[in-house]
Structures are given as C-alpha cells and as structure tokens.
Amino acid sequence: MDLIVARNREDLVKARAGGEVALVPTMGALHEGHRSLIRQARVRANHVVVSIFVNPLQFTPNEDFSRYPRTFDADLDVCREEGVDVVFHPAVEDMYAPDRQVSVSAGEMGRIVEGAFRPGHFDGVLTVVLKLFNLVQPDLAFFGQKDAQQLAVIRRMVTDLNLPIEIVGVPTVREPDGLALSSRNRFLSAQDRKVALALSRALRAGAAELTPAGIHATARAVLDAAGPELEVDYLTLVEPATFAEVTESYAGPAVLAVAATIGGTRLIDNVILTLTPS
C-alpha cells in the first residue's frame, strides 16, 4: 500500500483502517531516533501513523520557531522506507483556530526542571499531543526517552484524563561517539559538536557513582571541565514519573538529566539509572 499523506481530519477519516493503530508524533527533520520509534511501532501495531507538525505552542518567546528545520520531502522518504502507512501533516490553521481559548496545563510537572527554563513549553506539548490523539485515535503512541520529562508529562496526562492509549517510551539513539541524536544537532559547528560530547560523558560518569551526591558531583565536574563554551542550564537527578529531585536516601529508578547551550544551540540529554539503598 502506498504512503498516504493526510492534511486534515477528513483525510485521516478516509485513511483510517482496522486493527491496532500506532502514532509516532514528530516535528519532522526525521533522523535515526525517529526511525527507531517507527520500527518499534511497526512491531506493535497493524497501522503506523507519523505526524509531522512543527507546533508553535511549544516554542517560548525567546526561541526561533521559524529556525526549526523543515525537511518534509526527505521526511516522506524516511517514512516510505520504514513502511509508514499514513503521514499526518496539517497546517497550523488546521490545528489551531484563530480564536482558540482552551489548552492543556501540565501543572507543576510542567514548571520544574526543563519547564523552569521554557515556561509554557509543556502546556504546548500536551495541547498538541491531545489534539493528535483525538484526531488520529491511536491505540499506542511512541515517544523517545531522550525527551524524558516530555514522556513523563504525557504519561501523566493519559492517566489523569483517562485516555485509552498506551504510551511507549523508546530508548535514546546515539551517534557512535555518544552524542544523542537530535534534529538540532545540524546547527552545531565541528567545534561545538566536540564540546557537546561533554553531555553524554557527564551522564556516563555520573551513572557510575552510587549515591545521589556522588552522581551529581562527578557529572558536574565533567561539565565544568568542558569550559565556558558549554552553558549549563541544569544537571539534576529526578524521579522518572514526577521529575521531582531525589533525596540522598532515595532508592529506585532515577533520571539524570542535563540541558546546556553550545554555540547558540540548546541540547538536552539524560540517562536512566537505578539507585540502591546505601
């Protein structure tokens, strides 16, 4: 079956088929990380829908919405190669009425860690994801672990709003040198990219420690050694479901998360680890 490109609700209705439907929401500029999501979706569902929509609501005023890479033709090639059934590619005016008033709030989870540096970002994420869920009506939806806080707030929305959708987190895909794949990596110069490797090095070094204090101190030392070209927003160890900071006595799964700007490009990364009682 040929790939179907749907531009609006009516196109989606025409493209709808029986069996389990998996949704892979993206903003385009697809890379190997997105391919990993699509492949996992293909294993789990009869039909795979990939949405490609650069969502203006999740960009804060100091972020350049127009700068985000848009590579639709290349994205379609990726989707064809990966056996996607439908690409949903709406215009902004098809997603948001000019007099829009109702949106989704991420609550306190949306105001901490990443949300403290990008006010309103997670409200915009949840609003567009809920709209995509309503339009596509998937049984499963696939998101990358690289955006760990996004994954957490989406899971909370599904729980709190009783949405009949399984949220599947997919491990972060990395370059051979450890840099997490991101659509924004293309903005890094060769020198910036070398500096950016401090993020994954810091996470690996921190994960080798045994206590929250040791994890944080070791990872921070690696970031500090990268020099002033690496502008760190945060380095934090949090519970994966709530993104609340862990205490020194905490035991269980945790996320060590970092965000930093290198040469004007802001990157995030994280690693999942398990803390045991001391």
Side-chain angles (χ1 to χ4, degrees), residues 176-196:
D177 58 10
L179 185 67
L181 287 178
S182 168
S183 299
R184 292 182 170 89
N185 287 353
R186 68 189 67 202
F187 298 132
L188 297 170
S189 68
Q191 177 58 30
D192 291 340
R193 200 180 184 288
K194 290 179 182 178
V195 175

Side-chain angles (χ1 to χ4, degrees), residues 222-235:
V222 174
L223 297 175
D224 290 344
E229 294 88 357
L230 187 74
E231 303 173 27
V232 178
D233 282 344
Y234 60 80
L235 172 70

Side-chain angles (χ1 to χ4, degrees), residues 195-216:
V195 175
L197 292 176
L199 300 183
S200 57
R201 285 202 307 269
L203 296 177
R204 289 196 303 271
E209 298 292 332
L210 300 177
T211 66
I215 290 167
H216 191 278

Side-chain angles (χ1 to χ4, degrees), residues 30-154:
L30 304 184
H31 49 64
E32 284 299 320
H34 297 107
R35 287 181 185 267
S36 177
L37 297 174
I38 294 168
R39 290 166 187 163
Q40 296 261 4
R42 281 245 63 95
V43 171
R44 294 287 309 275
N46 305 99
H47 301 278
V48 175
V49 178
V50 172
S51 64
I52 298 176
F53 178 66
V54 183
N55 175 34
L57 292 194
Q58 67 191 70
F59 287 78
T60 59
N62 63 335
E63 296 174 339
D64 190 355
F65 167 71
S66 64
R67 185 172 180 248
Y68 193 87
R70 291 161 171 83
T71 57
F72 185 63
D73 290 341
D75 294 342
L76 285 183
D77 289 340
V78 170
C79 290
R80 289 190 184 98
E81 291 167 7
E82 296 298 335
V84 171
D85 299 289
V86 178
V87 168
F88 181 43
H89 183 53
V92 172
E93 54 268 26
D94 289 321
M95 291 295 285
Y96 299 116
D99 60 345
R100 179 187 64 85
Q101 297 185 43
V102 177
S103 60
V104 181
S105 170
E108 179 60 25
M109 282 183 68
R111 292 188 286 270
I112 59 176
V113 191
E114 183 74 2
F117 290 87
R118 305 179 71 187
H121 167 70
F122 288 114
D123 295 350
V125 168
L126 293 188
T127 297
V128 76
V129 168
L130 182 59
K131 289 174 76 69
L132 290 170
F133 286 172
N134 287 334
L135 288 163
V136 177
Q137 298 181 23
D139 300 286
L140 310 97
F142 291 74
F143 297 88
Q145 177 62 40
K146 186 179 78 70
D147 295 292
Q149 190 170 359
Q150 172 179 278
L151 181 59
V153 297
I154 289 170

Side-chain angles (χ1 to χ4, degrees), residues 153-278:
V153 297
I154 289 170
R155 281 179 165 148
R156 186 58 188 258
M157 177 180 73
V158 166
T159 296
D160 287 354
L161 299 186
N162 302 110
L163 302 178
I165 299 168
E166 180 184 348
I167 303 301
V168 182
V170 178
T172 301
V173 177
R174 299 182 180 277
E175 298 281 5
D177 58 10
L179 185 67
L181 287 178
S182 168
S183 299
R184 292 182 170 89
N185 287 353
R186 68 189 67 202
F187 298 132
L188 297 170
S189 68
Q191 177 58 30
D192 291 340
R193 200 180 184 288
K194 290 179 182 178
V195 175
L197 292 176
L199 300 183
S200 57
R201 285 202 307 269
L203 296 177
R204 289 196 303 271
E209 298 292 332
L210 300 177
T211 66
I215 290 167
H216 191 278
T218 299
R220 186 76 216 195
V222 174
L223 297 175
D224 290 344
E229 294 88 357
L230 187 74
E231 303 173 27
V232 178
D233 282 344
Y234 60 80
L235 172 70
T236 186
L237 187 63
V238 298
E239 297 182 39
T242 65
F243 259 63
E245 288 191 19
V246 304
T247 63
E248 193 63 27
S249 61
Y250 176 82
V255 175
L256 180 61
V258 64
T261 299
I262 308 100
T265 299
R266 189 172 186 275
L267 301 177
I268 62 172
D269 200 354
N270 69 83
V271 64
I272 301 173
L273 44 83
T274 300
L275 298 176
T276 56
S278 56

